[in-house]
Amino acid sequence: MKSFYPNGSLKYIEVKTTWGHGNLPFFLSQNEMKFSKENKNQYVLVRVYDLPRNGHVPGKFYEIKGDLSQQLDISPQTYVARFDKGAKK
């Protein structure tokens, strides 16, 4: 989401949510990782957690600013598989 700080400077906000505690793993796409690196001075990930399933109590949140690859332990979870031109099918 494109937003602005009170001083008028640009701010990009990404929100990630889980039902459980704030240290649960969450998914990031390759594009999200790349965007956080390319826009590290304007990027903020808002991590929303402890959301109740009934929706009556607000959850909690914290922010991670900048290049996510420098602040989180990142591991690949999805791969793209292609046939080599010489591979037998």
Side-chain angles (χ1 to χ4, degrees):
M1 173 183 349
K2 187 176 179 180
S3 184
F4 298 92
Y5 287 101
N7 69 4
S9 62
L10 186 60
K11 178 180 185 178
Y12 293 109
I13 302 170
E14 180 73 38
V15 179
K16 295 293 179 177
T17 306
T18 55
W19 298 106
H21 61 80
N23 291 329
L24 280 176
F26 57 96
F27 291 98
L28 292 167
S29 71
Q30 184 176 2
N31 286 340
E32 289 166 334
M33 289 297 300
K34 181 179 175 186
F35 192 85
S36 78
K37 185 177 280 194
E38 292 173 350
N39 297 279
K40 62 185 173 190
N41 294 325
Q42 298 88 21
Y43 186 87
V44 178
L45 183 137
V46 178
R47 180 77 170 83
V48 181
Y49 63 100
D50 278 348
L51 282 178
R53 294 190 186 268
N54 64 14
H56 295 298
V57 180
K60 301 170 187 167
F61 75 95
Y62 59 86
E63 294 182 350
I64 303 171
K65 297 180 181 181
D67 180 355
L68 298 177
S69 68
Q70 299 298 311
Q71 302 177 66
L72 301 171
D73 182 18
I74 305 296
S75 61
Q77 297 294 312
T78 304
Y79 299 88
V80 175
R82 294 183 180 91
F83 289 103
D84 285 340
K85 292 179 182 177
K88 295 183 181 184
K89 298 176 192 164

